[in-house]
Amino acid sequence: KADGRSTFRFYEQSMRLAAERRHILTLELRQALNENQFELYYQPIFTLSDDSISGFEALIRWHHPQRGMVSPAEFIPVAEETGLISGIGQWVLREACLTAARWPKSVKISVNLSAAQFDQAGLLDTVVMALEEAGLEPHRLELEITESIFLSNSRQNIQMLYALRELGVRIAMDDFGTGYSSLSYLRSFPFDKIKIDRSFVSGIEVDTRNLAIIQAVAVLGAGFNIITTAEGVETAQQLSRLRNEHFGEVQGFFTGRPMPAGEADIFIASKTASSARLLNELASSA
Ligand code: C2E
Ligand code: MG
Ligand code: MG
Ligand code: MG
C-alpha cells in the first residue's frame, strides 16, 4: 500500500514538473517573439525532370538565450496548445514571403501551417498581408498542411483551404502516409502537391516494401495530377531510385540542408549558374 502511494506521489511530482516546464516554455516563447529570437532556415527542393531549384521550405529555428538552438519539434506543439502559434505563424509567413521576394521568380517558398492556425479567423488576412507587404505573387507561396486539419472542424478547415486557394496560393499535404487515412483526405481537397514522409524514403535502396509505397505514390500523383515530393533524401542511391520512379521533386540532407537566408541566396546564385548538372554532380561526388 505504502508502495502504491509513493508511486502515485512520484507520478504526481513528475506531472507537476512537466506542467511547470511547459509554463516556463510558454513564457519564454512569448518573450522569444518579442525579442526576435526566431530565425527561418530554408531547405532547397529540386525538380527532378530538369534538376532545377523548385523552391525552399521555411523551417523555424529558436535561438534560446540559455539553451541554444531549440528544435521546432519541441516548441511548436506547445505553441499550438497555448495559442502562441498564431503570432509565431504570422511572423513566419511575413518573414518567409519577404525573403522569397528577393529570389528569382521561378523559386517558390513553402511554409508550414499548423491546424491550430486554421482555428483563427484571421488566417486569410495574415496570408494576404504577408503577400502584399512582400510584393510576392501568390502562386510562389505554398502552404504545407498535415492531415491533422481534417481531424476536427474539418468542414470549416476545408472551406479555409478553398479560400486560400482562391488567393492563388498552392496547397501541399505534408508528411503524407503517416496519418490515419491519407487516401481519403486526398479526395477531400484538390491538393497541388503531396510530400511523402521521410520514413518511407529511408531504406528504399534495400527495403522493397518502402520502394513499393514510393512507386504507388508516384502512380497516385500522376493519376491525380499532383506533384510528388520525397522528403528526407539522404543518399545518392535514394535519389536515383526516386528518379527511376519518376518522382517529381526531392528534398533532403543529400541535396541540401536547411540553411540561413543569406546562405540560401548564395545557394540560388551558385546553383542557377551551374544549373542542370547539379544533381548529377552531387550523385557522382557521393
Ligand atoms: P516538416 O514540415 O515535415 O519538415 C521537414 C523536417 O525534416 C525538418 O525538420 C527538416 O530539417 C527535416 N529534414 C529535411 N531533410 C532531412 C533528411 O534528409 N533527413 C532527416 N533526418 N531530416 C530531414 P525540422 O526543421 O526540425 O522541423 C520539424 C517539423 O517542425 C516540421 O516538419 C514541421 O512540421 C514543424 N515546423 C518547422 N517549422 C515550422 C513553422 O514555421 N511552422 C509550423 N507550424 N511548423 C513548423
Ligand atoms: Mg513541411
Ligand atoms: Mg514533412
Ligand atoms: Mg512534419
Side-chain angles (χ1 to χ4, degrees):
K1 205 169 195 173
D3 229 34
R5 206 175 294 140
S6 75
T7 307
F8 180 70
R9 204 173 298 134
F10 176 74
Y11 173 74
E12 222 181 19
Q13 251 170 15
S14 64
M15 286 293 282
R16 195 163 42 228
L17 216 75
E20 241 162 62
R21 280 190 48 186
R22 292 167 50 81
H23 180 64
I24 293 171
L25 197 59
T26 307
L27 296 177
E28 287 179 331
L29 276 173
R30 194 166 291 138
Q31 194 172 12
L33 199 54
N34 293 330
E35 297 182 2
N36 277 313
Q37 293 168 10
F38 293 119
E39 182 181 7
L40 290 184
Y41 271 38
Y42 300 88
Q43 185 176 32
I45 303 167
F46 291 94
T47 302
L48 285 179
S49 61
D50 63 358
D51 288 1
S52 64
I53 299 176
S54 156
F56 286 80
E57 177 174 3
L59 295 160
I60 195 168
R61 298 292 179 258
W62 179 15
H63 301 282
H64 189 282
Q66 283 88 41
R67 287 195 284 150
M69 193 103 100
V70 183
S71 154
E74 190 180 331
F75 68 85
I76 290 288
V78 177
E80 286 170 347
E81 283 166 42
T82 55
L84 284 171
I85 192 67
S86 77
I88 295 173
Q90 227 163 34
W91 177 84
V92 170
L93 273 163
R94 220 177 137 228
E95 182 75 14
C97 289
L98 284 170
T99 301
R102 301 200 296 256
W103 297 338
K105 286 201 192 303
S106 62
V107 181
K108 297 188 197 69
I109 181 74
S110 304
V111 172
N112 292 286
L113 286 189
S114 293
Q117 289 175 264
F118 279 72
D119 299 341
Q120 263 90 37
L123 179 60
L124 206 59
D125 287 341
T126 300
V127 172
V128 170
M129 300 242 293
L131 288 168
E132 279 180 358
E133 188 190 353
L136 190 76
E137 292 164 286
H139 70 88
R140 291 181 61 198
L141 174 64
E142 182 169 84
L143 302 173
E144 295 191 1
I145 57 123
T146 60
E147 293 161 343
S148 60
I149 75 148
F150 295 105
L151 296 181
S152 63
N153 300 324
S154 69
R155 242 178 57 123
Q156 202 180 304
N157 291 348
I158 290 171
Q159 275 175 358
M160 176 63 88
L161 282 183
Y162 276 106
L164 289 165
R165 167 69 76 65
E166 279 287 289
L167 296 176
V169 304
R170 302 158 55 81
I171 310 288
M173 188 188 274
D174 202 359
D175 303 342
F176 183 73
T178 56
Y180 287 107
S181 53
S182 307
L183 289 177
S184 73
Y185 298 138
L186 208 51
R187 270 193 321 194
S188 48
F189 184 77
F191 288 92
D192 296 287
K193 179 185 284 189
I194 41 184
K195 300 186 75 171
I196 187 157
D197 192 69
R198 69 165 184 268
S199 56
F200 299 105
V201 174
S202 68
I204 49 173
E205 306 96 323
V206 288
D207 186 338
T208 53
R209 287 177 304 179
N210 272 357
L211 180 61
I213 289 172
I214 290 286
Q215 288 167 331
V217 170
V219 171
L220 199 64
F224 273 76
N225 199 17
I226 300 179
I227 296 172
T228 48
T229 307
E231 306 192 87
V233 178
E234 294 181 346
T235 69
Q237 294 97 305
Q238 287 168 359
L239 176 60
S240 75
R241 278 291 181 152
L242 291 159
R243 226 188 252 289
N244 286 346
E245 304 309 332
H246 302 290
F247 236 75
E249 300 179 339
V250 289
Q251 173 182 1
F253 292 167
F254 181 70
T255 48
R257 289 193 171 252
M259 60 190 96
E263 281 179 37
D265 292 346
I266 296 168
F267 190 89
I268 292 169
S270 68
K271 293 319 177 207
T272 36
S274 61
S275 79
R277 290 206 316 279
L278 164 74
L279 291 179
N280 296 330
E281 283 166 6
L282 275 170
S284 58
S285 74

